Amino acid sequence: DADVTQTPRNRITKTGKRIMLECSQTKGHDRMYWYRQDPGLGLQLIYYSFDVKDINKGEISDGYSVSRQAQAKFSLSLESAIPNQTALYFCATSDSRDRTDTQYFGPGTRLTVL
Amino acid sequence: AQKITQTQPGMFVQEKEAVTLDCTYDTSDPSYGLFWYKQPSSGEMIFLIYQGSYDQQNATEGRYSLNFQKARKSANLVISASQLGDSAMYFCAMRGLHGSGNTGKLIFGQGTTLQVKP
C-alpha cells in the first residue's frame, strides 16, 4: 500500500462549488504539506502543518483552507472553486526527526474547474 | 530570497550513456538542503537524492549522483547508464534546514524534461 494517499485522484467540478481534497499517510511523519503544480511548472506551496495544532500559509493560500484532523490526515478545501485553480495538487509529508527533512509526495489529484 | 534555476528545458540522451542535469541556486541561509525529484508522465513526484550544504561528500544513490559545488552554488544531477524508464521531468529543489528559519517551503526549479533514446 502507498505510504501517502490522496483522494480523489481526478476531479472535475464547476465554478463556485466547494471541493475537498484529502490526504492520509502511514509513514508516521509529523509534517504535512499541500502544493499545486500548474502545467509545465514547478510546485508552489499552499499550506503546511508541522503538527496537528500548527497550520501555516504558504505562498499561494488565497482561495484555499486546510484542516489537520489527525497526525495522519491533512485536507485541502477550495471554498468556491474558480477555473484558475485547475491544477495538479500534491500532498507531501516529512519527518522532523530526519536531518534531511525530505518531503515525500502522494500521487497527486488532478483537479479541473469548469 | 531563495531561487532555483534549471536552464535546460529539454534534453536527449542515448540509452546507456550518462547525462548531467544542471541546477544552480541562490540562498542566504547558512544551512540548506538540495533535492532532486523525478516526475514521470504519470504525474507522481519521486524523491531521488539529497545533498546537505555541510555534507563533506557528494551524494550518491544507485545510478544517481549529485555534483555539488558549493562555491559555484550548483547541484547538478548525474544519471549514469541511462535507461528508457529515466524519461521524465526532473526538478531540483531547495529548502532551509532546521534552525535556519525553516518555513517548510521547498523551492522548486522549472524542471528539465529528459528523453532517453533507444
Side-chain angles (χ1 to χ4, degrees):
Chain A
D1 288 341
D3 295 322
V4 184
T5 57
Q6 293 183 233
T7 55
R9 293 294 311 280
N10 291 280
R11 180 73 182 267
I12 300 174
T13 191
K14 294 182 178 180
T15 297
K17 294 290 188 182
R18 184 178 188 276
I19 183 168
M20 178 181 288
L21 309 182
E22 297 186 336
C23 175
S24 62
Q25 51 111 350
T26 59
K27 298 179 80 67
H29 290 174
D30 50 343
R31 299 179 167 185
M32 298 187 75
Y33 312 80
W34 276 104
Y35 290 87
R36 67 174 276 175
Q37 182 183 28
D38 294 288
L41 299 179
L43 278 66
Q44 294 176 284
L45 183 65
I46 307 172
Y47 271 95
Y48 63 101
S49 170
F50 278 4
D51 63 42
V52 175
K53 296 183 179 180
D54 175 75
I55 303 287
N56 303 282
K57 293 183 178 181
E59 56 189 326
I60 56 164
S61 59
D62 287 349
Y64 301 94
S65 63
V66 291
S67 172
R68 183 85 183 264
Q69 301 96 323
Q71 185 181 39
K73 296 184 182 297
F74 193 34
S75 299
L76 176 72
S77 294
L78 287 67
E79 300 301 325
S80 179
I82 56 177
N84 75 2
Q85 290 177 314
T86 293
L88 182 58
Y89 289 84
F90 286 103
C91 173
T93 74
S94 71
D95 187 346
S96 61
R97 299 165 298 178
D98 176 2
R99 73 171 186 93
T100 72
D101 208 12
T102 296
Q103 294 183 23
Y104 296 91
F105 287 78
T109 293
R110 201 169 294 276
L111 176 66
T112 302
V113 183
L114 301 176
Chain B
Q2 296 180 326
K3 184 178 180 182
I4 293 280
T5 302
Q6 295 180 253
T7 58
Q8 307 153 312
M11 290 192 69
F12 291 91
V13 65
Q14 206 67 35
E15 193 178 10
K16 300 181 183 178
E17 292 185 350
V19 62
T20 298
L21 306 183
D22 294 342
C23 172
T24 58
Y25 61 91
D26 191 19
T27 182
S28 56
D29 281 344
S31 178
Y32 51 89
L34 295 155
F35 304 82
W36 278 91
Y37 288 87
K38 172 185 178 182
Q39 187 175 38
S41 58
S42 52
E44 68 267 34
M45 292 289 287
I46 303 167
F47 166 69
L48 296 178
I49 195 167
Y50 166 85
Q51 178 78 47
S53 58
Y54 286 107
D55 290 344
Q56 295 298 313
Q57 294 186 327
N58 286 347
T60 60
E61 288 286 349
R63 294 187 299 111
Y64 304 109
S65 60
L66 208 151
N67 183 3
F68 179 50
Q69 298 186 48
K70 192 172 181 178
R72 298 181 63 182
K73 293 189 174 180
S74 72
N76 299 338
L77 177 70
V78 180
I79 305 174
S80 63
S82 296
Q83 301 173 356
L84 296 178
D86 293 335
S87 294
M89 180 164 279
Y90 289 80
F91 289 97
C92 181
M94 174 177 64
R95 67 180 293 176
L97 294 177
H98 309 290
S100 67
N102 182 8
T103 64
K105 181 177 176 180
L106 264 178
I107 305 295
F108 282 83
Q110 299 285 67
T112 295
T113 299
L114 176 67
Q115 293 191 34
V116 180
K117 294 183 175 180

